[in-house]
Structures are given as C-alpha cells and as structure tokens.
Amino acid sequence: MNCPVCNEPMVVVEHRSIEIDYCLACGGIWLDADEIELLYQDAEACRAVLSIGSPADTINEKKRRCPICKRRMCKEQTTGLASRIIFDSCPNGDGLWFDNGELLVLLEQREFVNPHVEETRRFLREIFKSE
C-alpha cells in the first residue's frame, strides 16, 4: 500500500496483533477500519472521542486519497479536546489517516486514558519517534 501523502510504499508494523501501516518517508500512519478501536480496546469510548469532531472542510490541507479505495478522504477534526487533531477519514469507511505525530497527540488526550492506551503510546513513541 502506498502513502496517501507522498505515494511511497508503507511498511506494516504489528502491535498487539494489529497491523499499522506506517510511512517511513513522511511519518504518517494509516489505520484500517476499526483498528483505532482495537488499539484503544474500548470501541464505544473511542467512537465518542472521534465523533465529537466536525468536518474540517475549511482546512487548508490538500485532500488525500484513501490508499484502499482511492476516493478522496474527508478532513475531520476533534473538538473539545486539549489539542485539536485534524485527521483524514475514508468516505467508504476503509480507515483513518494520521499525519506524523497526530495519532500520538490524540492518544495523549485525557479522554484516552486507560492501561491499553498507555502501552500503545509507549509503542508509538519508541517505534515512530514523532517529531
């Protein structure tokens, strides 16, 4: 699978039997549908945090294409968190794209506090070394 930002091939990194697609060139992360919920291990709470966001159509970022279905992804943004995170969401529900460091910032929000998330945060810090 190629990166939706720089079109470079992504590598697959496995964490707790979850395959995370990672771009070595730009540091972005692709999560297939429901993988963020598996990382968090609380699907309902995870959906609640992501659904508090709103469409971010006014954001001055280039629309990216889903690496699976090739359709243009929607810009989404979280609201009500200490840090606003803008992420890309496939309109077909194939997955989510996080630019370099965005997934870690999202998981560091107080709404994502549980032992499973702490393990994932440590993993992301060690493996991806977000800037």
Side-chain angles (χ1 to χ4, degrees):
M1 177 184 320
N2 287 345
C3 173
V5 174
C6 58
N7 206 33
E8 293 293 320
M10 291 190 284
V11 297
V12 176
V13 180
E14 191 171 308
H15 175 64
R16 290 193 342 240
S17 300
I18 301 163
E19 292 184 351
I20 299 169
D21 297 285
Y22 176 66
C23 180
L24 295 169
C26 72
I29 295 174
W30 171 260
L31 296 175
D32 289 328
D34 302 326
E35 283 181 335
I36 193 166
E37 296 160 0
L38 293 172
L39 284 174
Y40 187 61
Q41 293 196 347
D42 184 341
E44 187 175 320
C46 184
R47 276 189 226 110
V49 170
L50 291 176
S51 69
I52 63 173
S54 58
D57 292 331
T58 60
I59 303 302
N60 246 356
E61 274 186 17
K62 182 180 176 184
K63 292 253 183 171
R64 298 181 172 128
R65 295 203 178 268
C66 171
I68 296 174
C69 71
K70 307 302 183 210
R71 290 187 60 198
R72 285 187 181 210
M73 292 191 280
C74 304
K75 296 285 182 189
E76 309 271 348
Q77 64 183 345
T78 59
T79 56
L81 299 176
S83 298
R84 180 179 74 147
I85 294 99
I86 298 168
F87 58 95
D88 299 89
S89 173
C90 172
N92 285 342
D94 290 328
L96 302 173
W97 173 261
F98 295 92
D99 289 325
N100 186 8
E102 289 176 344
L103 180 59
L104 184 58
V105 170
L106 177 67
L107 294 176
E108 287 178 338
Q109 303 304 302
R110 61 182 158 70
E111 290 80 2
F112 276 98
V113 174
N114 79 30
H116 303 292
V117 172
E118 185 51 41
E119 176 189 336
T120 301
R121 284 193 293 246
R122 277 195 304 272
F123 172 77
L124 291 173
R125 283 187 206 112
E126 289 174 18
I127 300 300
F128 302 135
K129 307 253 190 251
S130 298
E131 294 178 9

